Amino acid sequence: MKQETPLLEVNNLQKSFLIKKGFFGNSKQLRAVDGISFAIRKGETFSLVGESGCGKSTTGRLVTRLLAPNGGEVLFNGTDISGYSENQMRPLRKDMQMVFQDPYASLNPRMKVKELVAEPLLIHTKLSTKERDKLACELLETVGLNSYHAERFAHEFSGGQRQRIGIARALSVRPSLIVADEPVSALDVSIQSQVLNLLQDLQEEYGLTYLFISHDLSVVEHISDRIGVMYLGTLVETADKDTLYDRPLHPYTQALLSSVPVPDPKQKKERIILKGDLPSPVNPPSGCRFHTRCPAAMEVCKQMAPEFREVEPGHQVACHLYDEEIMKRV
């Protein structure tokens, strides 16, 4: 049986930024994303999680080509778009949309809501103004707002309502992939669940595929099919949601999951406290990047980076603890 081509496939993706220190200082490379690989099937939600500064948001912008990668491949529907120019990307923009983290900053305060939602239609379709306005009103109702909201400005809405407007705008051109970059982190907890449920309903209705980026593991558990855990620009573990939460293998993943609050006050949970601070991506540690904070670190971890290997079907981890050849020598 022929295997279906993933909607999005990322191979050895890399992105560095040039950092200058002082007026006469030497330039250094900040390795924001350093050789990650993953694939997303049509109709699924793949989430990237990790601490702030691990490269999650940069990955989202590389995938949608808001940033150009320094190396690696981004395959969309089997076509490598990593080297596309802005003109080549323009027709693809309607298939790849973004929902940004800050609903306050991502909406133009001088435009009415109907203009904000209809703006992608102006660029990617030949619909008349009347047709665009009609579709904008329909989209607002789809995301739980009312058509009379179309005449208002963004500052007249709450944070949750603004995020719904951002989602309506992303939906306007019927994309196949939506990159949601921390879409609920700026919202109250009660509103977060509403937006997450909305995203799931829209996924079912429109057959959407999500790359969902978040630092909140409780949010990720609610919406994900599969999860990738990032640390300092690299992927350390990927698995389906149930496997990752039931059997986390990488020490970093275990520490992250141990920090998730338990709603039952009677249930005790052992916290794994990581020692040290997060290293700088300008000067990352040699070998395994996590060895400076890892409770299970060995001498080999300082010398050699672990291979990202599949330890069971659909479950990959980058850790020497699961390399039989290395463990025989320890």
Side-chain angles (χ1 to χ4, degrees):
M1 183 176 177
K2 187 177 179 181
Q3 193 172 9
E4 184 183 12
T5 302
L7 178 66
L8 179 72
E9 188 175 357
V10 170
N11 296 316
N12 195 31
L13 190 62
Q14 301 167 44
K15 180 62 180 180
S16 297
F17 297 97
L18 191 65
I19 303 295
K20 291 185 177 181
K21 291 196 172 184
F23 190 76
F24 296 106
N26 295 326
S27 298
K28 292 187 177 181
Q29 294 287 336
L30 186 153
R31 288 182 275 181
V33 177
D34 199 9
I36 68 171
S37 301
F38 61 87
I40 309 178
R41 297 183 292 270
K42 293 178 182 178
E44 79 167 344
T45 300
F46 180 81
S47 294
L48 285 176
V49 298
E51 295 170 282
S52 296
C54 71
K56 308 183 302 294
S57 294
T58 301
T59 300
R61 284 160 172 73
L62 290 170
V63 162
T64 53
R65 283 306 313 277
L66 296 180
L67 289 174
N70 298 127
E73 294 179 326
V74 177
L75 303 177
F76 185 70
N77 268 328
T79 301
D80 185 5
I81 64 170
S82 56
Y84 272 25
S85 66
E86 184 54 42
N87 286 337
Q88 289 174 304
M89 278 300 301
R90 192 176 297 276
L92 279 178
R93 294 291 181 203
K94 63 182 177 60
D95 296 318
M96 308 169 72
Q97 289 288 303
M98 261 193 106
V99 176
F100 294 94
Q101 175 179 0
D102 188 355
Y104 297 89
S106 60
L107 301 176
N108 189 330
R110 299 190 178 189
M111 296 174 69
K112 291 183 177 180
V113 165
K114 67 178 181 182
E115 297 169 330
L116 290 168
V117 175
E119 189 175 24
L121 296 170
L122 177 64
I123 298 169
H124 294 290
T125 72
K126 295 181 180 180
L127 297 177
S128 66
T129 302
K130 186 176 181 180
E131 290 171 326
R132 292 196 302 269
D133 289 349
K134 181 173 182 283
L135 186 54
C137 291
E138 291 174 357
L139 285 165
L140 289 174
E141 292 181 350
T142 298
V143 298
L145 297 174
N146 293 303
S147 56
Y148 63 76
H149 286 138
E151 296 296 329
R152 296 183 180 179
F153 292 90
H155 71 268
E156 300 178 67
F157 296 89
S158 67
Q161 289 174 319
R162 293 186 200 195
Q163 199 58 287
R164 288 172 184 263
I165 294 168
I167 293 169
R169 181 173 61 179
L171 285 174
S172 63
V173 285
R174 296 290 189 268
S176 50
L177 173 70
I178 289 182
V179 177
D181 184 10
E182 299 271 15
V184 298
S185 65
L187 307 178
D188 293 337
V189 174
S190 59
I191 306 300
Q192 285 184 6
S193 60
Q194 295 178 23
V195 174
L196 291 173
N197 289 333
L198 171 64
L199 287 171
Q200 289 182 310
D201 292 341
L202 293 172
Q203 183 175 39
E204 186 174 339
E205 182 177 353
Y206 294 102
L208 298 171
T209 303
Y210 291 138
L211 172 57
F212 191 90
I213 296 166
S214 179
H215 67 278
D216 191 330
L217 283 158
S218 57
V219 166
V220 166
E221 184 179 18
H222 182 80
I223 198 170
S224 305
D225 295 309
R226 291 187 304 119
I227 300 170
V229 181
M230 287 190 70
Y231 182 79
L232 213 61
T234 63
L235 270 174
V236 298
E237 187 167 2
T238 60
D240 66 80
K241 175 182 66 178
D242 293 335
T243 300
L244 191 82
Y245 280 79
D246 292 342
R247 299 190 307 280
L249 297 180
H250 198 282
Y252 178 62
T253 309
Q254 294 167 356
L256 283 182
L257 290 173
S258 77
S259 67
V260 178
V262 178
D264 184 358
K266 296 180 181 179
Q267 183 179 344
K268 292 185 177 181
K269 187 174 183 180
E270 184 179 351
R271 287 285 307 273
I272 300 174
I273 307 298
L274 296 177
K275 60 184 180 181
D277 297 322
L278 186 70
S280 169
V282 176
N283 188 26
S286 59
C288 174
R289 295 191 173 185
F290 186 58
H291 83 260
T292 58
R293 305 171 74 194
C294 181
M298 303 173 288
E299 191 62 32
V300 66
C301 302
K302 303 175 184 178
Q303 302 165 359
M304 185 170 64
E307 180 184 343
F308 197 65
R309 63 178 67 246
E310 188 170 59
V311 294
E312 58 181 333
H315 194 169
Q316 295 85 24
V317 64
C319 182
H320 290 310
L321 293 173
Y322 306 97
D323 187 328
E324 293 181 3
E325 292 300 318
I326 285 180
M327 294 307 293
K328 286 178 184 177
R329 301 198 301 264
V330 174

